[in-house]
Amino acid sequence: MSYVVEGSSGPWEVVIGLEVHAQVVSRAKLFSGAATAFGAEPNTQVSFVDAAFPGMLPVINGVCVAQAVRTGLGLDAQINLVSRFDRKNYFYADLPAGYQISQYQHPIVGAGSVEIELADGSTRRIGVTRLHLEQDAGKSLHDQHPGKSYIDLNRAGVALMEIVSEPDLRSPEEAGAYLRKLRTILRYLGTCDGNMEEGSLRADVNVSVRRHGEPFRTRCEVKNVNSVRYVMQAIEAEAKRQVAVWEDGGTVGQETRLYDVARGATRAMRSKEDAHDYRYFPDPDLLPLVLDAAWVAELGRHLPELPDAKRARFMRDYGLPAYDSAVLVAEQATADFYETVARGRDARLAANWVIGDLFAAFNRTGRGIEDSPVAAAALGELLDLMADGTINGRIAKDVFELMVETGEAPGAIVESRGLRQVTDTGAIDAAIAAVLTANADKLAEYRSGKDKLFGFFVGQTIKSMAGKANPALVNEALKRALG
Amino acid sequence: MLDLSLAQVRTALRTRKVSARELARAQLDAVAALNPRLNAFITVTPDLAERHAAAADAALARGEHGPLTGIPLAIKDLFCTEGVRTTAASRILDTFVPPYESTVTANLLRDGAVFLGKANLDEFAMGSSNMTSAFGPVANPWTRTGDNRPLVPGGSSGGSAAAVAARLAFGATATDTGGSIRQPASFCGIAGIKPTYGRCSRWGVVAFASSLDQAGPLARSVEDCAILLGSMAGFDAKDSTSADLAVPDFAAACARGVKGLRIGVPREYRSDSMAPEIEALWQQGVGWLRQQGAEIIDVSLPHTKYALATYYIVAPAEASSNLARYDGVRFGHRAAGEDLIELYERTRAEGFGAEVRRRIMIGTYVLSAGYYDAYYLRAQKVRALILRDFTEAFRHCDALLTPTAPSAAFGQGEKMDDPVTMYLNDVFTVPANMAGIPGLSVPAGLDAQGLPLGLQVLGRPFDEETVFAVGAAIERAAGFTHRPSIRAGA
Amino acid sequence: MSLDPATVRRIGKLARIRLAEPEVVALGAELNGILGWIEQLNEVDIDGIEPLAGAAQMALRWRDDVVTEGGMRDALLANAPDREGDFFAVPKVVE
Ligand SMILES: [Mg+2]
Ligand SMILES: [Zn+2]
């Protein structure tokens, strides 16, 4: 059954659309030569253009244009060869010009889509309405002084891609999956670093509720939610609020709200109380943005393999299950790591090691794929040692732990610690003889028909050889010994 | 010496008949003597002028000179000048000192110019009389015969025009959004050109209406304008609307003559209400050009009559947005407020004068929800038709000849009762801004009251050379040697 | 179309210009005069005409992605009517 909010009068469907603001990866700002790096001293990455000083003019950064086009291509979207910049006029302390340069009527990217995977294994295609380029605002600090707000313009003018979804999402889970998937795609493309804590990716969440089969009801916009978890919580809280309003006989008014994390509830935004009339018009300081079709095609040819394609390939070429593939492609770096390990080796075994042992090591050490305690080449070498019989699977687990602890290469660990698998049949025969002697009672039981004890003898033999015996050889020798 | 043309004084400097410092001092003395009467300058910068002049003398002593080395100029106070207060004649910028130099003024400095100070203008260049300046009106150096009441110099570049006409500078920078170079040139008996949109960089010029604003020179002769424009113009990567074209030798074009040129006379510029002496002067201009070998062609610009109304949608709309940055937060005047909104509202109510407030209100209204299509979008379409008219006309002729303004200079305080009456001053000049084409005003004669009248030459986009050629031909034929009653050395 | 006092007040709010009550009436009359005169544009046949936003007939030129400015906080803040440390300051804003 699909997600509903149970009201006192029955179930309500939730309708969600996301407007995601993704900070473009570029050195300089969209319309000025000031830097975009995060965490600089206040007001040090500001040009007079960003601060809207008299006579200052915008000049567009070509890399930001390319990044928007690449993102559009990655979302299977229409690329508009002619687009235009408009001014969105409103007064705010951190909006120096009194307008934001944005793309209203003619965005650079039109309709596209994102495929999301849900926990039950199903997939849904979510429509993307458009993507446009615009400037970020500065930052207001409200807690530095009892009577004043402080303005830092470092972020003012940084390029953003606003990616608007269709109202196709129907649950917090779907919204979360959409946002995560979008983030993955952006990171693959290298067009946004996806860092939500630093504000590189922020979502405005449009939420409305309706009874099954009804047309859309009025929506509210919850602004600037900065984590997947909070997006999901905000949707739930806002949907419940709206259901309560409707069921009380009230009316939900279109408004801008904020999600209060501490209270787990949304509230109306004071500064957005007066309905805005943005007076959009074409920015006369800028000319139409015209793209060359051949240039767009060239960008398309150099697009990296994106997560959906990669996942399909992993399933096809490596024979991996859908779930494992999805886990491995969630981050480009993980997928690359996996492929380095898997290349020329047992691909499913490689997947088990990455998803199982490697991820467990990340959890234990607090590290991740970018600073992995074990390099992909080293893990590959470990797999090779197993494949050529140098060590067995049990010893491999120990070697891996030592690799994590010491950073040493698996071959060196095996040699220095004498972990090489024993393949000397004489030694194995001797060990078997000792085990059979020590377990005369079990041997008698076996001979009287308790076949299951065969495994017991294998285990005892390997154990007696400190785990280093080759299990296949032990099997063979034991069969011979037990005749 | 202050009565010489820019070209003449340049020769005097190069031949060391006068030093740049002597010239600057003489010019500054004249400013000190006459500015109290004319109010042509908001800020005089004697120290800066001395510095520039000293540098010019040093260069001349080394035998080096740029196109403008040692030439004293007035700078319209709409151009940002590094370290020198720039007000746009508005109270809202009364304390603003830019930390940067506009591209146009930087080009002039590169070529050796000496800056005397910042010239008065209508507030934010909004006006046709210089009456809207927060620093008081400018008096036209010309007065009616037998009548000493002060007249307006036109606007918005009224301070620049008055300074040049009164021999307080050899030339001046100006800007033209709807006629703000050409109409004051006509009112003050000097020459002035609004070049093609994109010819001069707008970077560092306080914006009024970005799609219309263009910088250009005012000077006492067409050739002087050509020399100045040659320095002011040029591609600037910092202005997205700047044209990436080489700057031609405009001064050389002045000597081309008009033989074989086809000059269009647009019939829609003629109206029954046109003053007979302006009509007569226009006919005279046509005659001069014909005598010098031009072919005269009757052309039609059917949407001309709508240009002014179109302008009064487009310009205020852009201005309402361009002037949003004057909010009392980062620079300029600030009024106290309990909260941020009150601060904004009081700052802008106090900081802007009546005409600026009026235009911001109009612009805000025509862009607001529900009115955009009826006003702004319609205006953009009419603008397309105005451009199409010119494009069509220039298929048949090389330049157009019209009067510059519908009247001579009028008295301070006249035409103030109804804004539209004042707006009508720009009826002949606005179409060129809408289409982005170059327009030059040349002094051509005096009216019955002894006041100068100008003729306007319009040309194809980026064909200022033909415009200069035609303007210089009119200038030669007109032999305009009249001088205003208020002037240095008078 | 004509501006009633409520519209004049609303436009004043949007433009962030405080209007004293007597001004509302006077300004309304002036604006109506100007807008009435502008209405002559309704005569123009604009069917099928593409709007013209500006006079420059070219496409947008692009900049390289190079950091060329920054690190000039003092110049940036030098004109500020209210500066607090490294920041511009305004009366406290409640979001
Ligand atoms: Mg939004
Ligand atoms: Zn946005």
Side-chain angles (χ1 to χ4, degrees), chain B residues 239 242 306 334 358 378, chain C residues 30 41 43 52 61 79 89:
Chain B
D239 174 359
S242 169
Y306 301 109
R334 172 189 279 200
R358 188 149 53 220
R378 172 169 284 267
Chain C
E30 280 174 2
L41 293 185
E43 308 163 19
L52 178 68
R61 218 176 19 249
N79 280 286

Side-chain angles (χ1 to χ4, degrees), chain B residues 222-223 253-255 292 440 442 467-477:
Chain B
V222 173
E223 185 194 16
C254 294
Q292 296 184 56
L440 169 76
V442 195
V467 172
F468 278 122
V470 175
I474 291 171
E475 185 179 54
R476 279 192 297 274

Side-chain angles (χ1 to χ4, degrees), chain A residues 21 100 132 134 162:
Chain A
H21 285 95
Q100 177 196 35
H132 66 252
E134 63 182 24
E162 181 171 331

Side-chain angles (χ1 to χ4, degrees), chain A residues 238-275:
Chain A
E238 177 59 16
K240 284 183 174 153
R241 183 191 73 84
Q242 291 183 15
V243 166
V245 170
W246 290 120
E247 291 195 333
D248 276 2
T251 305
V252 171
Q254 184 162 355
E255 61 183 359
T256 307
R257 303 178 66 86
L258 282 177
Y259 180 60
D260 184 332
V261 173
R263 287 173 46 244
T266 68
R267 64 169 171 85
M269 230 175 139
R270 285 262 304 269
S271 55
K272 299 265 178 178
E273 261 166 16
D274 48 344

Side-chain angles (χ1 to χ4, degrees), chain B residues 19-244:
Chain B
S19 76
R21 258 172 295 195
E22 286 163 351
L23 184 63
R25 274 181 209 136
Q27 196 71 90
L28 287 165
D29 287 347
V31 170
L34 287 184
N35 201 46
R37 267 177 87 184
L38 295 175
N39 200 28
F41 287 86
I42 290 173
T43 306
V44 183
T45 55
D47 294 348
L48 190 70
E50 290 275 353
R51 270 210 313 282
H52 292 164
D57 280 334
L60 289 163
R62 292 193 302 271
E64 297 163 9
H65 59 76
L68 296 172
T69 300
I71 307 286
L73 300 178
I75 304 301
K76 187 178 185 179
D77 205 15
L78 202 62
F79 292 80
C80 289
T81 39
E82 187 174 356
V84 177
R85 181 176 75 146
T86 299
T87 68
S90 181
R91 191 175 170 202
I92 210 153
L93 278 177
D94 55 6
T95 59
F96 177 60
V97 178
Y100 43 85
E101 186 77 33
S102 82
T103 297
V104 162
T105 50
N107 289 348
L108 292 170
L109 292 174
R110 172 203 63 203
D111 285 355
V114 173
F115 289 175
L116 301 165
K118 305 300 291 289
N120 206 343
L121 64 149
D122 279 300
E123 184 179 2
F124 281 101
M126 296 180 192
S128 308
S129 65
N130 226 294
M131 296 300 291
T132 72
S133 169
F135 297 84
V138 175
N140 194 322
W142 295 78
T143 49
R144 293 180 181 121
T145 311
D147 180 351
N148 280 334
R149 280 176 302 175
L151 304 178
V152 303
S156 65
S157 311
S160 295
V164 171
R167 276 66 180 162
L168 300 185
F170 285 87
T173 66
T175 62
D176 189 316
T177 305
S180 285
I181 291 175
R182 292 159 286 160
Q183 183 252 20
S186 180
F187 278 22
C188 292
I190 59 173
I193 182 168
K194 178 202 93 71
T196 311
Y197 185 83
R199 182 64 94 179
C200 288
S201 169
R202 293 185 297 112
W203 193 87
V205 185
V206 176
F208 162 14
S210 311
S211 80
L212 302 162
D213 295 346
Q214 229 341 257
L218 284 163
R220 291 193 290 269
S221 76
V222 173
E223 185 194 16
D224 288 358
C225 282
I227 292 168
L228 285 169
L229 184 61
S231 286
M232 294 167 70
F235 172 64
D236 182 8
K238 291 187 287 189
D239 174 359
S240 296
T241 62
S242 169
D244 193 356

Side-chain angles (χ1 to χ4, degrees), chain A residues 19-21 88 132 134 162 164 204 206 221 223 280:
Chain A
E19 290 168 27
V20 173
H21 285 95
K88 178 181 182 178
H132 66 252
E134 63 182 24
E162 181 171 331
V164 182
D204 299 342
N206 288 296
E221 183 177 11
K223 276 261 175 226
Y280 284 99

